[in-house]
């Protein structure tokens, strides 16, 4: 029986002459790798399957297979500016790489799926002032992944233990921790939302330091999370 669901395209790579392998985070099955067959030689299987596209897909679920066959796909929520605005394109490139690694092993999680769709739609439909969007997005994403950092117990002089995800009164035995100055900013930064992010006046140095800490946190808590190639481009965009 055919199954239909919405999904977010995380990665797309060519397969043979006419096919593509597409990794999609679906509302009903979580992260799924699909094989999509194309038409003429050298032509992509579907223009709907661009990275970060919000799509509706149809397939027959075969649990014994690691690579499912995609029967059809079409755009569920079209973007207006995400593929044309330089700042949003750079942010999107980072989010695509980030989400691919963060969600690689995720099962179905409807609140998580809805959060990502809401975030991408918000980015597409809002104008200027998106320099902090990537920070707000990936920080709040931790809540839906069960990785929310416990920053509410901050006290003067505390460090933040990245491995434990909580404040500590003493420096831990390992090297994964933030010193008091950076730790003191966490209660402030974790309050950032899409609506309030314009109010957070961050310098380039501060923005980069926060991003470095967040990526280090994900690398400790998400198996196989690598260094991200798109970070360098993102740093240049938001100076």
């Amino acid at each position: 029986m055919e199954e239909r669901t919405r999904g977010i395209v995380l990665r797309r790579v060519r397969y043979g002459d006419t096919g593509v392998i597409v990794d999609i985070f679906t509302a009903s099955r979580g992260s799924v790798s699909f094989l999509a067959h194309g038409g003429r030689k050298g032509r992509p299987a579907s223009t709907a399957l661009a990275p970060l596209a919000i799509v509706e897909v149809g397939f027959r679920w075969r649990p014994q297979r690691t690579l499912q066959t995609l029967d059809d796909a079409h755009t569920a929520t079209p973007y207006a500016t995400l593929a044309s605005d330089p700042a949003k394109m750079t942010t999107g490139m980072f989010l695509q790489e980030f989400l691919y690694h963060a969600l690689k092993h995720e099962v179905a999680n409807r609140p998580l799926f809805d959060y990502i769709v809401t975030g991408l739609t918000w980015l597409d439909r809002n104008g200027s002032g998106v320099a902090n969007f990537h920070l707000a997005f990936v920080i709040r994403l931790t809540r839906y992944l069960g990785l929310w950092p416990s920053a509410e117990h901050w006290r003067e002089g505390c460090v933040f233990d990245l491995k434990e995800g909580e404040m500590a009164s003493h420096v831990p035995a390992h090297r994964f921790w933030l010193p008091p100055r950076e730790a003191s900013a966490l209660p402030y930064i974790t309050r950032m939302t899409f609506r309030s992010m314009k109010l957070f006046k961050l310098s380039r140095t501060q923005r980069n330091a926060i991003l470095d800490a967040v990526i280090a946190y994900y690398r400790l808590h998400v198996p196989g999370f690598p260094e991200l190639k798109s970070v360098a481009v993102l740093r240049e965009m938001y100076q």
Side-chain angles (χ1 to χ4, degrees):
M1 182 175 180
E2 186 178 80
E3 183 173 326
R4 302 199 66 82
T5 187
R6 288 200 304 158
I8 303 157
V9 178
L10 302 179
R11 190 180 70 156
R12 163 178 160 163
V13 294
R14 292 287 296 270
Y15 181 80
D17 291 332
T18 62
V20 292
I21 293 177
V22 190
D23 295 290
I24 300 177
F25 184 62
T26 66
S28 64
R29 297 284 180 179
S31 290
V32 181
S33 293
F34 292 99
L35 173 62
H37 295 288
R40 297 196 302 272
K41 183 175 180 179
R43 188 182 180 92
S46 173
T47 55
L49 298 175
L52 291 188
I54 302 170
V55 295
E56 181 176 320
V57 295
F59 57 96
R60 294 181 182 276
W61 180 254
R62 295 174 172 84
Q64 70 277 13
R65 293 187 180 182
T66 56
L67 188 62
Q68 303 292 323
T69 300
L70 188 65
D71 294 330
D72 69 88
H74 67 266
T75 302
T77 304
Y79 293 128
T81 65
L82 200 57
S84 57
D85 181 283
K88 293 181 182 182
M89 288 172 64
T90 301
T91 300
M93 180 177 65
F94 166 76
L95 294 180
Q96 179 266 320
E97 185 183 15
F98 193 100
L99 288 171
Y100 170 68
H101 293 291
L103 304 179
K104 188 178 292 186
H105 306 294
E106 283 296 310
V107 297
N109 181 334
R110 191 54 186 261
L112 171 61
F113 178 84
D114 290 343
Y115 168 74
I116 297 170
V117 170
T118 298
L120 294 175
T121 304
W122 194 98
L123 176 63
D124 178 65
R125 295 178 181 175
N126 284 269
S128 59
V130 298
N132 290 333
F133 179 86
H134 61 290
L135 298 180
F137 184 93
V138 299
I139 289 170
R140 302 204 74 79
L141 183 69
T142 61
R143 187 180 293 279
Y144 297 90
L145 294 173
L147 304 175
W148 183 252
S150 179
E152 62 271 18
H153 300 302
W154 175 82
R155 296 291 183 273
E156 188 71 35
C158 279
V159 301
F160 185 77
D161 188 325
L162 289 166
K163 289 186 73 173
E164 298 299 325
E166 61 186 16
M167 294 292 174
S169 57
H170 302 286
V171 173
H174 55 77
R175 60 187 177 89
F176 304 108
W177 52 277
L178 299 179
R181 182 177 178 181
E182 286 79 358
S184 68
L186 274 176
Y188 172 72
I189 295 300
T190 52
R191 291 198 296 269
M192 188 186 297
T193 67
F194 302 148
R195 291 185 180 276
S196 70
M197 66 184 186
K198 291 182 181 180
L199 304 177
F200 288 72
K201 306 301 182 182
L202 301 174
S203 68
R204 179 186 182 187
T205 299
Q206 290 172 323
R207 192 176 289 115
N208 288 341
I210 294 167
L211 182 60
D212 288 342
V214 171
I215 291 176
Y217 186 70
Y218 271 88
R219 293 192 70 189
L220 285 169
H221 294 277
V222 177
F225 198 93
E227 293 186 14
L228 303 180
K229 298 177 181 178
S230 57
V231 169
V233 182
L234 193 68
R235 292 190 198 283
E236 292 302 315
M237 174 58 68
Y238 299 120
Q239 299 187 18

